Amino acid sequence: MTDEPTRRRPTLDEVAERAGVSRTAASRVLNNAPHVSRDKREAVQRAIRELGYVPNPTARALATQQAGAVALIVAGDDPAVFADPFFGQVVAGATTVLEETDLHLMLCLATSARGQLRVQQLLHTRAVDGVMLMALREGDPLTRLALDADIPAVFGGRPLGQDVPSFVDVDNVGGARAATEYLISQGRTRIAMITGPLDTDVSRARHRGYREALTLAGLTPHGEEPGDFTELGGITAMDALLARHPDTDAVFAANDNMAAGALRALRRAGRTVPGDTAVIGFDDLPVAEVSDPPLTTIHQPIQALGQEMTRMLLALVAGGSPSPLLLPTRLVRRESA
Amino acid sequence: MTDEPTRRRPTLDEVAERAGVSRTAASRVLNNAPHVSRDKREAVQRAIRELGYVPNPTARALATQQAGAVALIVAGDDPAVFADPFFGQVVAGATTVLEETDLHLMLCLATSARGQLRVQQLLHTRAVDGVMLMALREGDPLTRLALDADIPAVFGGRPLGQDVPSFVDVDNVGGARAATEYLISQGRTRIAMITGPLDTDVSRARHRGYREALTLAGLTPHGEEPGDFTELGGITAMDALLARHPDTDAVFAANDNMAAGALRALRRAGRTVPGDTAVIGFDDLPVAEVSDPPLTTIHQPIQALGQEMTRMLLALVAGGSPSPLLLPTRLVRRESA
DNA sequence: CCTCTTTTTGGAAGCGCTTCCGGTCACCCT
DNA sequence: AGGGTGACCGGAAGCGCTTCCAAAAAGAGG
């Protein structure tokens, strides 16, 4: 190794020269394109090895007009929302499929005004080849921005009040129905719901599923209280529910965090679960396994969500026109219901 | 708006032409550099506005030899580790400081062999201007790779068994000592510890702090059991601890997840907390507030960690040589101890 | 009014790679 | 042997921006 402190990294020209071929030929073997004779190909490969050459991605990007990266954009108003393990799993899923390509993952939290602006630039400048958007609120300007930016975009969960061509979502309505029906099948009749913030499609869909199941069974909602998807919010909502309807015998929370909160509120109120009140959640996050009692919940394939979003984006980038996707959910029976 | 379907985006040349100046001048106003007369500057600005010009970041990157992005690399062997809210907070912190610059955040999970490879490429090709590395295990090849790649790098938490020039860490030893001393000050004497995986510096440091406090007080460890930083691991470890030393009157868990697990194991074993056994955690994650009882724990400024890592990286990229940083921790008293 | 600075200008040379396209050359078929 | 037919090959033109540098313009000073 003759590594001078900061030697300029070798360029394709140098490789070509050393291999005694044109830069064009060198480029061809790099991208293993045809029309290079066996000899030259090998000469170039040797030169590459000897020089320790590694192509400059920026130059390649400029020449090919492809950024070599896609972005995951997380909206919301608080940077802390990203601390939700949900996103971590989505990222993990996205990563597994991106790993198989030569694209990188750019992460943008569009939570502050500054952040929104930067996302806007990102879209405008085409610094990425495509974007995945999540956690959009109703009327979030980002939705239009992304749609208008003429850049491949897939949405994780449908944005409320705006039809988008490419999205992958979870069957929230079906899951919520299944949850509620399960409660009903257990003989519960005074079923309350802790909803999510109602300016999101996911919350609305889960609420709809709950209502549908109730209607089908000839029941009516026994109290509905909005939460904010946090455990604390679940506690507050459950307290409110209990105050209004002390005879509630079951509650469906729109996510596990809130269900866990409900569990705590119920215990604090001296009620047993599932004895006095059954609780069912949604998401099947880690917390569901370790809450007390463990949560019966609707499992949603979060990592798969990340994967499918990414696959769809890749298809879009490749010029395809994939159809929207709805991922299935399934009931996970544990002890809270 | 005369937006044809897919009109080529305007280039700097077009701006220059329209403004009646040279491309050089146009570039100058873009980067608001000196040596441009007032008139021309305004003309260029107008042209930019009228054309809706937005500079091409790739071209700029090629010319300036700066990627315009930094990477956050998360090691570990399971993509799911990233689901830990810890990382979410780090990302949030990093984002807040990056937002003030014109750098983007690239996220890499080096959890699979494939992932490691891609990170290696990332370093080699200089696709980013700098990297932040986290969750490195002892002897992780990534450490050397990053150090050798001749690219600005800051480590989040010191990698075990390898001195690195730039890192920001939390005062794990001090925090662990404070936690243990608090337990001691409450009159506990049979104090066990649930450690993290001992091939990480953070686990070792917290363990050391625990030992130091014990020694200072003339006490000895009352059982030590390694966990894996998950709630489940905490349950298992606590069960083991209880089996060996049923008279344990306090336990210090190396993080909140495991502390929460310990809480559950203790309850299951019919013990009261803090009555029979006091429990103290580390991290002050959201779970600490909502566990039952709420966890007394050592707060560590995770978001600040992300911020400081990023600031340090920026300093490095700018050619500076910042000193390592140790962030303070503080005891948060709740009800478990 | 003329010389000496100080500013302002823009031509041109990159940054490192891809790719169009016209030219070679070997080979095969009548 | 002449004419095709392809597979090779490499020159050169980009991709869109920054920046060096020589030249031109504008002030300053006498």
Side-chain angles (χ1 to χ4, degrees):
Chain A
M1 293 296 202
T2 54
D3 263 9
E4 268 109 73
T6 304
R7 174 113 117 290
R8 220 175 41 62
R9 298 174 45 215
T11 72
L12 192 52
D13 279 294
E14 289 163 4
V15 169
E17 182 179 9
R18 179 175 192 115
V21 305
S22 73
R23 181 188 10 194
T24 307
S27 173
R28 287 210 184 90
V29 358
L30 216 56
N31 302 290
N32 46 54
H35 305 309
V36 183
S37 66
R38 191 177 184 67
D39 299 0
K40 303 227 174 205
R41 189 176 295 273
E42 279 168 3
V44 171
Q45 279 160 347
R46 187 168 343 108
I48 286 178
R49 211 174 318 116
E50 291 171 356
L51 254 34
Y53 169 79
V54 36
N56 178 325
T58 306
R60 193 194 295 251
L62 182 58
T64 60
Q65 303 280 56
Q66 303 194 322
V70 298
L72 176 64
I73 299 173
V74 179
D77 20 47
D78 180 3
V81 297
F82 188 72
D84 192 315
F86 179 89
F87 296 109
Q89 293 199 46
V90 171
V91 168
T95 296
T96 60
V97 1
L98 248 23
E99 265 176 11
E100 303 303 320
T101 72
D102 49 3
L103 293 171
H104 288 292
L105 212 218
M106 207 138 248
L107 190 59
C108 307
L109 306 194
T111 47
S112 64
R114 193 92 182 84
Q116 288 246 2
L117 198 73
R118 302 221 48 213
V119 168
Q120 201 175 141
Q121 287 175 9
L122 194 76
L123 294 173
H124 249 93
T125 61
R126 291 195 97 75
V128 290
D129 295 318
V131 297
M132 301 183 269
L133 303 265
M134 303 201 71
L136 261 3
R137 293 296 184 92
E138 177 170 27
D140 194 316
L142 234 46
T143 310
R144 276 246 63 78
L145 241 43
L147 254 22
D148 293 346
D150 181 42
I151 187 177
V154 356
F155 292 78
R158 280 160 281 195
L160 188 58
Q162 184 88 225
D163 268 342
V164 298
S166 303
F167 66 85
V168 13
D169 202 354
V170 159
D171 182 10
N172 289 306
V173 177
R177 257 175 73 156
T180 313
E181 280 165 358
Y182 180 69
L183 256 17
I184 295 169
S185 78
Q186 302 288 299
R188 310 286 173 165
T189 54
R190 295 181 300 281
I191 307 175
M193 173 167 184
I194 301 177
T195 69
L198 288 173
D199 59 348
T200 61
D201 177 78
V202 41
S203 294
R204 293 261 261 259
R206 291 179 189 174
H207 182 236
R208 197 177 328 135
Y210 159 80
R211 287 276 187 115
E212 284 181 13
L214 250 30
T215 303
L216 245 45
L219 296 174
T220 53
H222 198 75
E224 299 174 336
E225 190 69 28
D228 59 356
F229 281 146
T230 70
E231 196 150 346
L232 228 48
I235 294 177
T236 313
M238 191 70 241
D239 284 342
L241 244 23
L242 243 28
R244 275 212 309 283
H245 300 282
D247 61 340
T248 299
D249 67 2
V251 46
F252 165 43
N255 82 337
D256 286 345
N257 289 337
M258 296 195 296
L263 247 31
R264 290 177 50 67
L266 286 165
R267 173 162 40 222
R268 196 181 285 165
R271 295 170 168 256
T272 61
V273 175
D276 297 331
T277 313
V279 174
I280 190 165
F282 206 119
D283 281 359
D284 197 21
L285 293 180
V287 64
E289 287 184 68
V290 293
S291 66
D292 185 33
L295 272 176
T296 291
T297 189
I298 301 296
H299 175 87
Q300 62 170 330
I302 307 181
Q303 200 158 332
L305 177 67
Q307 294 179 333
E308 294 304 338
M309 285 175 63
T310 312
R311 292 212 182 91
M312 185 174 289
L313 184 56
L314 292 181
L316 237 34
V317 169
S321 42
S323 338
L325 211 57
L326 218 54
L327 266 22
T329 58
R330 68 164 203 278
L331 179 71
V332 176
R333 291 153 85 149
R334 282 195 270 258
E335 296 167 28
S336 69
Chain B
M1 291 298 200
T2 54
D3 263 8
E4 267 109 73
T6 304
R7 176 115 115 288
R8 220 174 43 61
R9 299 173 46 218
T11 72
L12 192 52
D13 280 294
E14 290 162 5
V15 169
E17 182 178 9
R18 179 176 192 114
V21 305
S22 72
R23 176 181 18 177
T24 308
S27 174
R28 287 207 184 91
V29 358
L30 216 57
N31 302 289
N32 46 52
H35 304 307
V36 183
S37 68
R38 191 177 184 68
D39 300 359
K40 303 228 174 205
R41 188 175 296 272
E42 279 168 3
V44 171
Q45 280 160 348
R46 186 167 344 107
I48 286 177
R49 211 173 318 117
E50 292 171 357
L51 254 34
Y53 169 79
V54 37
N56 178 323
T58 305
R60 192 194 295 251
L62 182 58
T64 61
Q65 302 280 56
Q66 304 195 323
V70 298
L72 177 63
I73 299 173
V74 179
D77 21 47
D78 180 5
V81 297
F82 189 72
D84 193 317
F86 179 88
F87 296 109
Q89 293 199 46
V90 172
V91 169
T95 296
T96 60
V97 2
L98 249 22
E99 265 175 11
E100 303 302 321
T101 71
D102 48 3
L103 293 170
H104 288 292
L105 212 216
M106 205 137 249
L107 190 59
C108 307
L109 306 195
T111 48
S112 64
R114 193 92 181 85
Q116 288 247 2
L117 200 73
R118 303 219 49 214
V119 168
Q120 202 174 140
Q121 287 175 9
L122 193 77
L123 295 174
H124 250 92
T125 60
R126 291 194 97 73
V128 291
D129 295 318
V131 298
M132 301 184 269
L133 303 267
M134 302 202 72
L136 261 3
R137 291 297 182 93
E138 178 171 27
D140 195 316
L142 234 47
T143 311
R144 275 246 64 76
L145 241 43
L147 255 22
D148 292 346
D150 182 40
I151 188 177
V154 355
F155 292 78
R158 280 160 282 195
L160 189 58
Q162 183 88 225
D163 268 343
V164 298
S166 303
F167 66 84
V168 12
D169 202 354
V170 160
D171 181 10
N172 288 306
V173 177
R177 258 174 74 158
T180 312
E181 281 165 357
Y182 179 69
L183 254 18
I184 294 169
S185 77
Q186 303 287 299
R188 311 284 173 165
T189 54
R190 296 182 299 281
I191 307 175
M193 174 167 185
I194 301 177
T195 69
L198 288 173
D199 60 348
T200 60
D201 177 79
V202 40
S203 294
R204 293 262 261 260
R206 290 179 188 174
H207 182 236
R208 197 177 328 135
Y210 159 79
R211 287 277 186 115
E212 283 180 13
L214 249 31
T215 303
L216 245 46
L219 297 174
T220 53
H222 198 74
E224 299 176 336
E225 189 69 28
D228 60 356
F229 281 145
T230 70
E231 196 150 346
L232 227 48
I235 294 178
T236 312
M238 192 69 239
D239 284 343
L241 245 22
L242 244 27
R244 276 212 310 283
H245 300 282
D247 62 339
T248 300
D249 67 1
V251 47
F252 165 42
N255 82 337
D256 286 345
N257 288 338
M258 296 195 297
L263 247 30
R264 290 178 49 69
L266 285 165
R267 173 163 39 219
R268 198 181 286 166
R271 295 169 168 257
T272 61
V273 175
D276 297 331
T277 312
V279 173
I280 190 165
F282 205 119
D283 281 359
D284 197 20
L285 293 180
V287 63
E289 286 184 66
V290 293
S291 66
D292 186 33
L295 274 176
T296 291
T297 189
I298 300 297
H299 175 88
Q300 63 170 330
I302 306 181
Q303 200 158 333
L305 177 67
Q307 294 180 330
E308 293 305 337
M309 285 175 64
T310 311
R311 292 213 182 91
M312 187 173 289
L313 184 56
L314 293 182
L316 237 33
V317 169
S321 42
S323 340
L325 212 58
L326 218 54
L327 265 23
T329 58
R330 69 163 203 278
L331 180 71
V332 176
R333 290 152 85 152
R334 281 195 269 259
E335 295 168 30
S336 70

